[in-house]
Amino acid sequence: SPIRKKRPASPPHEEVLADNPDIAVIVMFRSRFNEAFPAKMSHLGPQDIEKGIVDPLPSPLVDSLLCALLSLVLNRKKPIERGQYTRALEEAIQTQKHQWPRAWNGINPLHGNNSFKTMNPQERLILLKTLVIWSLHSSEAISAIIKESYKQARKEQDLNQPLSVQPWGTDGDKRRYWLIEGQDDTNFRLYRESNPALVKHTWRSMAGNIEELRVVAQKLAEDGSQAGRRLSQQIINAIPRFEATEEKRKRREYRLARKAQFTRPDPGFSLYEGRTRGKRMRYTFSDEEDEGSDATSARRSTRQSGRVTPSDGLKPTVTASGRQVRSRVGGLYGESLLSGQAAEGLSPGPSGEYERSDGSEGPVRSGGRATRSGGPYVPTNGYAKSRKHIDTYNSVDEMDDEEEATSSGGEWDGGDDEDERDDAADDEDKDDEDSNGEIFEEEPGKGSLIVTLCYRK
């Protein structure tokens, strides 16, 4: 076989949070001992832990993991709720004082006012890994799982044990590559560990997505060693599986994002208002209104209850309480209208301008109701006007009209119509004579409406 070329020196590498080996320990412990964790607890990937411990407040996933680990260390049957783990954490640290990690230097990490929320990302990782180690030693549930798994005969490096974590492969320099991923289509990360036989030991993150994984596979193919080519082929064969899990993860994240849009963090800021019984709802919105819930607002609608137009000045106005207010027949308050202006806004009823159902025209009483009888008509000025007949008028026709009105349900004016007409004629004759002695008479003729003025000598 040809002599393998010497590998060039690696470029300088700056340590980042993803290079911390504690993340791999926590993820694989959660994946291997899934039976010991609550059934509703979500699975974790390396990226989930990295994002959950960087924020000032730990993410809900990290809080759930902390509570589950405390329950395992303290052997509690009842799970610890999120946000209420302070006393349980203090108890776990005090009971495991003989197994404190060297990084604490013999000082309780909760001394003073410190808590898990005030720790930095490195301190949080150290605490989570310490709880994992304590669970392997003192948890009854973890011990039962281990005993059940190791009932069969052990082989070298536990290759036949499903709880063990084995490297994915090696390269020409005997550097080992570890594939760390959780269950339920979580994210993955490929780590590279230096040769265990060397004094200086390193642990680095090589790939966190599919594109970076293809680059690593290309470099391993060019390594020139049989182990490197074998590992490169394994990575290429696993890429379709990673693509399928990534597609499922994106769909799940989309569903969770859509579901989060319907949550109600505060009253009045969600898509739906929820309970509306006994609340006054408004269905008109304006940009000038303050933001808030329609149900909690005390502002009333500014829409008018009646459809009022300039031409409906004489129609009754309906108030909000249901009371009808008739408008004044006149101008504004304290303003008097002229005789011509007062008649402009009147309805056709009082002015006598209407059309009957039979096509003929007739007067209307003061109430606006058309009558078919020959009763007197009282105009708006208060003076009664006598009704004169034309020369061809026949009294028999009048009697027929009265009988027809009575039979049809019309109004009957009584039997003193002739006397009232005579009195009205006498009053009119007296009124026709003014202070100057002028007399208004109608010109005799066949129903003529021409009026002439006659002066007395």
Side-chain angles (χ1 to χ4, degrees), residues 8 30 32 48 72 76 83 85-86 96 144 197 218 232 242-243 258 288 317 319 388 426:
R30 170 68 179 90
R32 291 294 186 267
D48 297 329
L72 292 175
R76 292 191 178 183
Y85 52 80
T86 302
Q96 302 291 336
Q218 182 66 24
S232 176
F242 294 144
E243 292 176 348
R258 292 289 298 172
E288 300 178 358
T317 303
T319 62
K388 294 184 178 296
D426 295 340

Side-chain angles (χ1 to χ4, degrees), residues 355-372:
E355 183 177 0
R356 287 168 44 170
S357 60
D358 56 355
S360 60
E361 297 182 357
V364 180
R365 290 190 178 275
S366 60
R369 178 181 177 184
T371 61
R372 300 176 63 182

Side-chain angles (χ1 to χ4, degrees), residues 131-415:
L131 293 176
V132 167
I133 296 175
W134 292 349
S135 299
L136 292 172
H137 287 278
S138 60
S139 176
E140 297 177 358
I142 298 298
S143 299
I145 294 175
I146 294 175
K147 290 179 181 179
E148 184 66 24
S149 178
Y150 278 88
K151 284 183 177 180
Q152 56 182 346
R154 298 180 59 181
K155 293 185 178 180
E156 185 180 1
Q157 297 182 355
D158 291 340
L159 295 178
N160 61 337
Q161 295 296 331
L163 294 180
S164 65
V165 181
Q166 302 295 331
W168 204 5
T170 58
D171 58 5
D173 295 326
K174 297 183 180 181
R175 295 179 297 184
R176 296 189 294 185
Y177 290 80
W178 301 82
L179 177 64
I180 305 300
E181 59 179 347
Q183 299 182 13
D184 196 17
D185 302 326
T186 57
N187 293 288
F188 70 93
R189 187 173 289 280
L190 181 64
Y191 294 93
R192 187 184 68 187
E193 181 187 9
S194 62
N195 188 354
L198 298 179
V199 178
K200 187 177 180 181
H201 189 270
T202 59
W203 180 278
R204 294 181 181 179
S205 172
M206 299 301 297
N209 51 53
I210 297 177
E211 297 299 329
E212 296 178 353
L213 201 62
R214 287 195 175 98
V215 174
V216 174
Q218 182 66 24
K219 291 182 178 180
L220 290 173
E222 300 174 355
D223 184 53
S225 62
Q226 185 177 1
R229 291 192 299 269
R230 188 184 303 110
L231 179 59
S232 176
Q233 189 63 33
Q234 292 178 2
I235 294 175
I236 294 175
N237 295 337
I239 287 179
R241 181 175 65 86
F242 294 144
E243 292 176 348
T245 56
E246 184 177 3
E247 185 66 22
K248 294 180 181 179
R249 185 171 59 254
K250 288 182 178 180
R251 289 199 298 266
R252 183 175 64 247
E253 293 175 355
Y254 175 77
R255 290 193 302 268
L256 294 177
R258 292 289 298 172
K259 185 178 180 180
Q261 294 180 358
F262 294 91
T263 57
R264 297 189 62 181
D266 293 323
F269 290 92
S270 65
L271 184 61
Y272 298 109
E273 290 297 333
R275 180 185 176 95
T276 58
R277 187 185 308 168
K279 299 180 182 178
R280 185 182 180 90
M281 301 299 297
R282 292 188 298 107
Y283 299 97
T284 56
F285 303 91
S286 175
D287 296 339
E288 300 178 358
E289 297 177 356
D290 296 335
E291 295 181 359
S293 174
D294 292 342
T296 58
S297 175
R299 183 175 179 179
R300 298 183 61 137
S301 175
T302 57
R303 294 183 298 176
Q304 298 180 1
S305 58
R307 294 175 293 180
V308 180
T309 58
S311 62
D312 296 336
L314 298 178
K315 292 183 179 181
T317 303
V318 181
T319 62
S321 60
R323 185 171 58 89
Q324 293 186 1
V325 180
R326 295 182 179 275
S327 60
R328 299 175 63 253
V329 184
L332 299 176
Y333 182 77
E335 178 183 0
S336 60
L337 298 180
L338 300 179
S339 61
Q341 295 178 351
E344 291 179 358
L346 296 177
S347 61
S351 61
E353 299 175 0
Y354 72 96
E355 183 177 0
R356 287 168 44 170
S357 60
D358 56 355
S360 60
E361 297 182 357
V364 180
R365 290 190 178 275
S366 60
R369 178 181 177 184
T371 61
R372 300 176 63 182
S373 63
Y377 167 66
V378 180
T380 57
N381 55 9
Y383 295 96
K385 183 177 180 180
S386 63
R387 188 176 72 176
K388 294 184 178 296
H389 304 292
I390 60 177
D391 296 341
T392 60
Y393 178 77
N394 189 358
S395 60
V396 180
D397 297 338
E398 183 178 0
M399 295 175 61
D400 296 337
D401 294 341
E402 292 177 358
E403 293 176 358
E404 182 181 358
T406 305
S407 62
S408 61
E411 297 181 0
W412 182 62
D413 297 331

